[in-house]
Amino acid sequence: MQYEATIGLETHVMQKTNTKMFCACKYEYGAEPNTHVCPVCLGYPGALPVMNEKAIELCCKAGLLLGCEINPYSKWDRKNYFYPDMAKNYQITQADQPLCLGGQLTVDVDGEMKTFTIERIHQEENAAKNTHVAGASLVDYNRAGTALMEIVSNPCMHSAEDALAYMTAVKQIMQYGGISNCDQEKGQMRSDVNVSVRPVGQKELGAKVEIKNMNSFAFIKEAIEYEIDRQTALLESGGTVDQETRGYDPDRGETFTQRTKENAHDYRYFPEPDLMPVKIPAEQIEQWRSELPELPAQRRVRYVQELGLPEYDAGVLTADMATSDWFEQAMRHTKNAKAVSNFIMGEMMRLLSEQNCSISESNVTPEKLAGIVALIDAKTISTGAGKQVFEIIFNDGGDPKAIVEERGMAQVSDDSALEGWADEAIANNPKPVEEYKAGNPASINFLMGQVMKASRGKANPGAVMQMLKQKLDR
Amino acid sequence: MSEANEGMDVGYVAKLANIDLTTEETALFQGQLNQVLHYVEQLNELDVGGVEPTAHAFPVYNVLRKDEVGTSLNHADVVANAPAATDGEIRVPKILDQ
Amino acid sequence: MADLHKLTIYELSEKLAAGACTSVDIVNDVLASIDATDGKVGAYLTIDRASALEQAKVADALRAEGSTLPMLGIPVAIKDLLNVKGQPCTCSSKILEGYTAPYDATVIAKLREAGTVLLGRVNMDEFAMGSSTENAALGKTSNPWNLKHVPGGSSGGSAACVAADEAIAALGSDTGGSIRQPAAFCGCVGVKPTYGRVSRYGLTAFASSLDQIGPISKTVKDSALLLEVLCGHDKMDSSSIDMDVPAFGKSLTADTSLAGIKLGLPKEYFVEGMDPEVEKTVRDAVDHCKSLGAEIVDVSLPHSKYAIAVYYIIATAEASANLARFDGIRYGLRVDGKDPIELYGKTRAVGFGSEVKRRIILGTYVLSSGYYDAYYLKAQKVRTLIRNDFTAAFKQCDAILAPVTPTPAYKLGEKTDDPLKMYLDDILTTPVNLAGNCALSLPCGFSSSGLPIGLQIIGDSFAEETILKIGHAYEQTTEWHTRKPEIS
Ligand SMILES: [Zn+2]
């Protein structure tokens, strides 16, 4: 029998707000433990939550970017469970009326365009951070109550590759949209993965296994693959899969049981009496929509259609937001998109990876690259010289024009200088001259090379070619 | 509300609420709370079809706060209130995986 | 001792303004009164003597500089579930042992801004769960009118200390009658403001959608003044209503006519099993209002009889979540365990009293999987019907008159073994909390055994001015409020 896997993702994304979801404490990664805490986020007696308007805006914008409907009426609920990282022992979240409903995302999975659907996005608050020491655990509440939204996909994926492509796209969109930095190392993007397996052709989904709280894409991929294999093997051997919550142990490359169905939490959701509902008018949604940045997919199309770049270039440039933004900035200073693209994909990416730094740290600014391209386009320097200038600036900084002048890198187009080198090449190389005259036009290239060599690369190749042809065709 | 007739399992619910009860307490509460549940069954007399639930006495909407940093608590006060702390963090018995 | 402790806020303010006494004099008198009687009454949990005298000195200095703050130099007691910066806040529970509040509740900040002297914290039923102040882990409080009787609850300490002249006024909180019932039992005036009028920030929550803070005082006018200080929009409480606060105190004049005012009399509030003395006293009070010019009309609040059932579902459900934070992790009592779950179970077993445990368990149950619709959702719908009753009634009248309690204060220990019986006593006060509107309790007579009986004046939402006006007119033309208990 053939089996197929079905995968759904619950992706938690920490929003880029200054303060926490329901109190004015600052969100700052890496601060001294328990220094950004107050009665609200510590769950002290008498403290009350108040909504952060920026978080609501960012959650709705995330929804708009992912094609969701913004719910005109949404409300808050308490989700009850005891855990030391949850100060009130209930989490404020949205159960039946989330901020965003529906949505979809079309992504390229190994060359095939697939559309994955999103059920909802709801706003909630983050938990504190636990660290484990000998015989005890330590809790730092700095992260407690920070703005966290949960993007819930439908069970619409069927492989680890699908899930990875989906998460990569979500991450890219959240970064483009300024919703979140999605820094997985800092726990800003974590996912719960639901995996089930059923015989092909069976209508109902198989028993759902939830793998909780993973931040590394690599581990998520491993966990999904392991889980599909485990469940398939169980079914093939005539066994049944238990609905349960599992964890992933990356060291062993295995998932393990954390909580069985019988021990599942009873969250006892009920409407949060301390918070009022949210009503979002249509004008507000349109305002937010007008503020949305262009998404990678839209940029790709524009790069091809309006800037005339090849599909390949457009894909590389938009793969991450920093690169794409850098390209956009360079394009404010030049019209030669292809030249800028070639430099970014070539010199820039090579040097960045050699020196392990990011494009924003590069000495070559968008404006300077535009300057180099302008010098090439004006034929002041050759493309080769341009690459040298790029590398010089990348390593030591400096201004393109000044470097060309200081180092005498400008091309020579002056006839008198060229004539001397051309005559010399013709005189010293009778054989290629004869071949050319006998009807082999390629032989002129050798002479051309000799001139360039004599000029130490500074001769303008077009001018040299014209001069040689003039002399030989006479 | 027919389930109420069976009464609640006080022991189970106390576990959900994370309160350890003695055997005597469990028995006492079992009787008392079944009485209360029996009393609230009178709500079954009412037809509430089409009635909207009230969650807030005076619902207002969009009570929002600007995303501006305010004052946090003095770290020393936070630690002083904690029954146990180590290096500025609140110490608890080892947390097992959820 | 100049008997300053026996006076009202207005009387003392006049003396202070005239230079006839100082705030330090008042505080000294009140402290002496506490020393003389609190051994019997047991209202106070903590008396902040040094701090109170210090605040009084500051108030006197401010007055010398010309300050006319509304509560300047007046000593007030605080129900021990309000956070006062640097002070404990026990909620009469063992579970908050060792907790020091790091912030002021909004109402405390407002009292300070108005020049009030904070005397100390008074007893209550643990986490405001109870009607007799017998569910208190840290001490028992008696009714000053008869020490063998309960003061009512949960704000029993607040009402007892005012009745015993151990404070000029006090703050209480009312979730299902917890201000009005002890005020009635102790012969004081108490106001349950409209939900959203007074910020709940810093009030340890029992049932968030029902809780309101309000004054307990010796006269209606004092309550009006205190209410004016407490009210107002607070950005820290999302349920706080952004609305102008009327000058409640100034609006009360010497005019005692109730001409043009329609008072509703709900037949459902003269319940079966009601003490005949209470019924007669309240009916006499109704007649008195009529004699002042009011028109009495019959109104009906048919769903009020379901209020107890609805209340004990909604309040306990909210409480089950609100009290989950008392877990021994970040503050308060901790009984250690091998893992957090064991720690929670043990800490909460030792830290909470029986009534709190019972209510948390009930509230947990009504929210649990499979029961939510049958209990919680249904209760929320009946809550709507109860609100609708009031909306309809207030189309026929300006305010509603009713008893506060079915009986006067009962004996200590009389009902502690029967929670349901105790719950049923809240039948006349809980409907107002569920509907969210306001109500006032004031003395309207005494039982043959000398215990106070209260009259409840229920107003529409945000109609505090109306009920204060009616209460003031009644008080100006009767003498019940001037009687003092002989504490022995
Ligand atoms: Zn905070």
Side-chain angles (χ1 to χ4, degrees):
Chain A
M1 199 184 297
Q2 286 284 68
Y3 292 92
E4 67 166 359
T6 305
I7 299 161
L9 292 169
E10 292 163 17
T11 305
H12 299 264
V13 173
M14 271 178 80
Q15 290 136 287
K16 236 199 262 187
T17 52
N18 296 322
T19 65
K20 297 186 180 183
M21 185 61 221
F22 299 115
C23 65
C25 289
K26 187 177 178 182
Y27 165 59
E28 183 186 12
Y29 181 82
E32 283 295 307
N34 296 313
T35 51
H36 297 317
V37 291
C38 74
V40 178
C41 55
L42 280 176
Y44 270 29
L48 297 170
V50 186
M51 289 178 254
N52 181 340
E53 67 176 8
K54 183 73 181 175
I56 303 287
E57 176 188 330
L58 290 178
C59 184
C60 291
K61 282 184 169 171
L64 292 172
L65 289 168
L66 293 173
C68 298
E69 290 286 327
I70 304 304
N71 198 347
Y73 171 93
S74 72
K75 64 181 247 300
W76 304 92
D77 298 278
R78 292 184 181 178
K79 178 183 181 180
N80 295 284
Y81 65 97
F82 278 73
Y83 208 66
D85 63 10
M86 191 50 70
K88 303 181 295 301
N89 288 319
Y90 61 79
Q91 181 190 32
I92 302 176
T93 180
Q94 301 187 294
D96 58 335
Q97 294 286 2
L99 280 168
C100 311
L101 294 164
Q104 70 283 313
L105 195 54
T106 301
V107 294
D108 183 333
V109 186
D110 299 333
E112 187 189 343
M113 294 311 281
K114 292 187 179 175
T115 297
F116 300 123
T117 56
I118 290 163
E119 185 199 316
R120 56 187 279 159
I121 308 176
H122 61 257
Q123 182 68 52
E124 55 188 31
E125 54 176 337
N126 211 342
K129 194 171 133 251
N130 304 318
T131 42
H132 305 292
V133 295
S137 298
L138 302 177
V139 194
D140 169 11
Y141 290 90
N142 282 347
R143 201 183 66 189
T146 50
L148 185 72
M149 51 180 202
E150 182 172 334
I151 305 168
V152 182
S153 85
N154 284 307
C156 59
M157 291 165 242
H158 300 288
S159 66
E161 288 71 27
D162 284 358
L164 230 59
Y166 166 86
M167 280 188 302
T168 306
V170 167
K171 177 177 174 178
Q172 198 184 47
I173 290 169
M174 292 304 112
Q175 291 176 335
Y176 263 82
I179 311 295
S180 171
N181 291 331
C182 289
D183 187 332
Q184 286 144 287
E185 306 260 299
K186 294 181 182 169
Q188 291 170 349
M189 185 183 185
R190 309 193 293 271
S191 291
D192 300 337
V193 184
N194 296 312
V195 181
S196 65
V197 169
R198 65 177 161 188
V200 170
Q202 180 182 306
K203 250 193 176 160
E204 334 51 81
L205 291 174
K208 185 175 88 175
V209 170
E210 185 176 26
I211 314 163
K212 279 273 198 203
N213 207 18
M214 293 183 284
N215 58 9
S216 145
F217 283 4
F219 292 164
I220 292 173
K221 182 169 185 286
E222 288 169 24
I224 293 173
E225 283 167 350
Y226 177 86
E227 197 50 35
I228 293 174
D229 288 349
R230 185 186 72 87
Q231 293 183 28
T232 308
L234 258 175
L235 294 175
E236 275 174 344
S237 64
T240 51
V241 175
D242 291 329
Q243 182 185 326
E244 60 181 355
T245 304
R246 297 176 75 88
Y248 180 65
D249 179 348
D251 295 333
R252 307 177 61 171
E254 290 174 1
T255 65
F256 59 93
T257 299
Q258 275 185 331
R259 190 174 277 275
T260 60
K261 192 187 174 191
E262 290 69 40
N263 291 323
H265 288 288
D266 182 346
Y267 289 125
R268 308 187 301 281
Y269 285 99
F270 76 102
E272 164 60 281
D274 287 333
L275 287 170
M276 294 296 155
V278 182
K279 275 188 177 175
I280 301 178
E283 312 82 73
Q284 177 66 78
I285 297 171
E286 286 326 302
Q287 171 67 32
W288 283 337
R289 203 190 295 280
S290 74
E291 293 165 9
L292 293 180
E294 198 180 23
L295 284 184
Q298 297 164 322
R299 276 194 182 175
R300 248 182 339 257
V301 171
R302 183 164 59 84
Y303 289 1
V304 173
Q305 291 180 350
E306 291 177 22
L307 302 179
L309 288 178
E311 290 272 1
Y312 175 79
D313 291 38
V316 173
L317 292 174
T318 55
D320 79 68
M321 188 178 63
T323 306
S324 178
D325 282 351
W326 201 98
F327 172 77
E328 299 270 324
Q329 282 175 38
M331 290 310 295
R332 283 190 212 142
H333 304 283
T334 175
K335 289 206 163 63
N336 194 341
K338 181 59 185 157
V340 173
S341 169
N342 285 346
F343 267 105
I344 292 176
M345 296 195 304
E347 307 310 300
M348 181 67 96
M349 289 193 171
R350 176 176 64 80
L351 291 164
L352 289 176
S353 87
E354 278 173 18
Q355 306 194 12
N356 196 20
C357 58
S358 72
I359 197 162
S360 59
E361 297 164 331
S362 162
N363 284 329
V364 182
T365 61
E367 198 170 354
K368 284 180 181 174
L369 176 57
I372 296 171
V373 170
L375 290 171
I376 295 170
D377 288 348
K379 301 198 162 53
T380 309
I381 55 172
S382 64
T383 304
K387 289 179 180 176
Q388 287 172 33
V389 174
F390 188 100
E391 191 156 349
I392 290 164
I393 299 177
F394 190 94
N395 289 323
D396 308 315
D399 169 70
K401 242 185 197 154
I403 289 168
V404 167
E405 274 167 27
E406 275 165 30
R407 309 205 177 196
M409 293 167 88
Q411 299 185 115
V412 179
S413 308
D414 172 47
D415 280 356
S416 61
L418 292 183
E419 192 147 23
W421 290 322
D423 288 343
E424 205 180 312
I426 290 168
N428 292 344
N429 298 286
K431 203 171 165 217
V433 171
E434 249 167 61
E435 279 169 12
Y436 178 82
K437 287 190 170 166
N440 184 0
S443 300
I444 200 167
N445 291 338
F446 180 82
L447 299 171
M448 170 97 182
Q450 294 303 304
V451 175
M452 293 308 289
K453 204 169 164 184
S455 75
R456 283 179 299 163
K458 284 190 256 172
N460 178 334
V464 174
M465 183 60 83
Q466 207 182 355
M467 168 118 5
L468 285 170
K469 278 189 178 164
Q470 225 173 34
K471 288 187 183 286
L472 295 172
D473 292 347
R474 219 172 3 210
Chain B
M1 221 178 281
S2 57
E3 301 92 337
N5 295 325
E6 301 152 26
M8 75 164 96
D9 177 350
V10 166
Y12 168 75
V13 180
K15 220 168 246 145
L16 274 183
N18 281 293
I19 302 173
D20 292 350
L21 296 183
T22 62
T23 325
E24 295 75 38
E25 276 178 317
T26 308
L28 179 68
F29 293 173
Q30 186 76 60
Q32 292 170 330
L33 290 173
N34 277 348
Q35 244 190 326
V36 175
L37 288 176
H38 179 73
Y39 175 80
V40 304
E41 269 182 53
Q42 62 174 285
L43 296 184
N44 286 337
E45 297 164 18
L46 290 168
D47 177 12
V48 290
V51 178
E52 284 295 315
T54 295
H56 298 282
F58 302 103
V60 284
Y61 300 94
N62 304 353
V63 183
L64 298 160
R65 174 179 63 78
K66 291 239 178 302
D67 186 25
E68 286 163 6
V69 176
T71 355
S72 293
L73 285 178
N74 184 339
H75 176 68
D77 291 344
V78 174
V79 173
N81 258 330
T86 300
D87 298 336
E89 298 204 57
I90 296 183
R91 195 173 72 244
V92 298
K94 190 129 194 141
I95 299 171
L96 308 169
D97 274 319
Q98 219 167 354
Chain C
M1 196 150 107
D3 278 357
L4 295 169
H5 59 290
K6 292 186 176 169
L7 302 181
T8 66
I9 298 175
Y10 271 92
E11 287 163 350
L12 289 170
S13 295
E14 267 176 39
K15 279 191 186 290
L16 286 166
C21 73
T22 65
S23 177
V24 170
D25 296 338
I26 299 170
V27 170
N28 276 326
D29 264 16
V30 170
L31 289 173
S33 166
I34 293 171
D35 290 338
T37 56
D38 205 51
K40 292 169 187 160
V41 175
Y44 279 86
L45 291 173
T46 330
I47 305 155
D48 302 324
R49 290 172 194 276
S51 159
L53 283 167
E54 197 46 52
Q55 294 172 63
K57 274 183 200 153
V58 172
D60 287 334
L62 279 173
R63 190 173 297 276
E65 286 166 19
S67 168
T68 55
L69 290 170
M71 291 287 295
L72 191 61
I74 306 293
V76 164
I78 306 299
K79 186 176 181 180
D80 201 20
L81 46 36
L82 291 162
N83 281 269
V84 179
K85 191 174 178 174
Q87 308 278 355
C89 173
T90 68
C91 301
S92 284
S93 180
K94 275 192 256 177
I95 209 156
L96 276 162
E97 193 179 283
Y99 170 71
T100 302
Y103 73 109
D104 272 343
T106 299
V107 290
I108 297 297
K110 282 177 178 284
L111 285 184
R112 290 190 201 278
E113 281 160 29
T116 319
V117 172
L118 306 178
L119 271 175
R121 283 168 308 281
V122 288
N123 204 10
M124 54 185 277
D125 283 297
E126 183 177 3
F127 288 108
M129 295 180 178
S131 320
S132 65
T133 313
E134 290 168 292
N135 304 323
L138 309 172
K140 287 266 184 287
T141 302
S142 286
N143 191 317
W145 292 89
N146 184 331
L147 298 176
K148 291 197 178 77
H149 287 244
V150 301
S154 65
S155 309
S158 305
C161 76
V162 173
D165 289 322
E166 296 178 17
I168 306 307
L171 293 197
S173 67
D174 192 317
T175 306
S178 282
I179 286 175
R180 289 161 288 158
Q181 185 255 23
F185 277 11
C186 293
C188 303
V189 174
V191 180
K192 196 296 269 189
T194 306
Y195 186 83
R197 266 283 197 211
V198 178
S199 168
R200 295 181 294 116
Y201 190 74
L203 164 75
T204 307
F206 161 16
S208 313
S209 77
L210 305 167
D211 296 340
Q212 270 293 287
I213 299 163
I216 292 182
S217 66
K218 298 175 185 178
T219 64
V220 173
K221 207 168 178 187
D222 278 5
S223 269
L225 177 67
L226 205 41
L227 185 63
E228 196 179 317
V229 170
L230 300 178
C231 285
H233 182 236
D234 181 12
K235 284 186 289 189
M236 298 300 279
D237 175 0
S238 303
S239 64
S240 158
I241 304 283
D242 194 355
M243 200 181 218
D244 287 342
V245 181
F248 294 127
K250 287 206 185 79
S251 72
L252 301 180
T253 63
D255 177 17
T256 58
S257 166
L258 293 180
I261 288 183
K262 276 189 190 170
L263 295 175
L265 206 57
K267 57 176 184 295
E268 295 88 355
Y269 278 58
F270 293 87
V271 293
E272 207 181 306
M274 173 168 280
D275 184 304
E277 281 187 327
V278 171
E279 175 156 2
K280 179 171 189 315
T281 309
V282 171
R283 290 205 187 272
D284 286 350
V286 173
D287 288 344
H288 183 84
C289 290
K290 200 173 169 183
S291 75
L292 295 176
E295 182 188 342
I296 310 296
V297 296
D298 284 329
V299 294
S300 178
L301 299 165
H303 296 95
S304 286
K305 66 171 176 172
Y306 300 106
I308 294 294
V310 172
Y311 175 80
Y312 278 91
I313 291 171
I314 290 178
T316 60
E318 291 181 9
S320 74
N322 283 333
L323 271 64
R325 67 189 61 196
F326 304 109
D327 60 358
I329 301 291
R330 296 162 313 285
Y331 49 81
L333 177 79
R334 175 186 291 192
V335 181
D336 241 314
K338 67 176 190 312
D339 58 34
I341 295 293
E342 195 180 298
L343 181 153
Y344 299 145
K346 286 180 169 178
T347 301
R348 290 160 65 82
V350 172
F352 290 139
S354 291
E355 183 58 23
V356 173
K357 289 178 188 171
R358 244 186 322 262
R359 294 199 193 187
I360 291 175
I361 290 167
L362 180 59
T364 302
Y365 177 71
V366 299
L367 290 175
S368 65
S369 178
Y371 297 100
Y372 180 86
D373 287 3
Y375 290 110
Y376 192 76
L377 188 62
K378 181 135 198 181
Q380 282 194 319
K381 289 180 176 177
V382 181
R383 184 176 179 182
T384 305
L385 298 176
I386 292 169
R387 288 184 68 188
N388 293 347
D389 282 356
F390 277 105
T391 309
F394 286 118
K395 285 190 177 130
Q396 294 170 261
C397 62
D398 300 301
I400 292 168
L401 298 183
V404 184
T405 58
T407 66
Y410 42 86
K411 285 205 176 86
L412 285 159
E414 194 178 316
K415 298 191 183 181
T416 41
D417 291 338
D418 192 342
L420 181 58
K421 203 168 162 196
M422 187 95 90
Y423 297 172
L424 294 177
D425 282 349
D426 299 341
I427 184 73
L428 304 171
T429 47
T430 47
V432 172
N433 300 81
L434 292 167
N437 48 326
C438 60
L440 166 75
S441 168
L442 81 168
C444 69
F446 286 81
S447 71
S448 50
S449 55
L451 289 164
I453 292 170
L455 170 68
Q456 187 174 199
I457 307 173
I458 301 170
D460 202 351
S461 306
F462 307 104
E464 282 85 354
E465 261 181 306
T466 307
I467 59 172
L468 289 166
K469 178 187 157 72
I470 297 163
H472 183 63
Y474 179 86
E475 194 183 72
Q476 292 297 292
T477 52
T478 56
E479 285 178 293
W480 310 113
H481 67 285
T482 61
R483 292 203 193 174
K484 299 277 185 191
E486 268 179 46
I487 299 163
S488 55

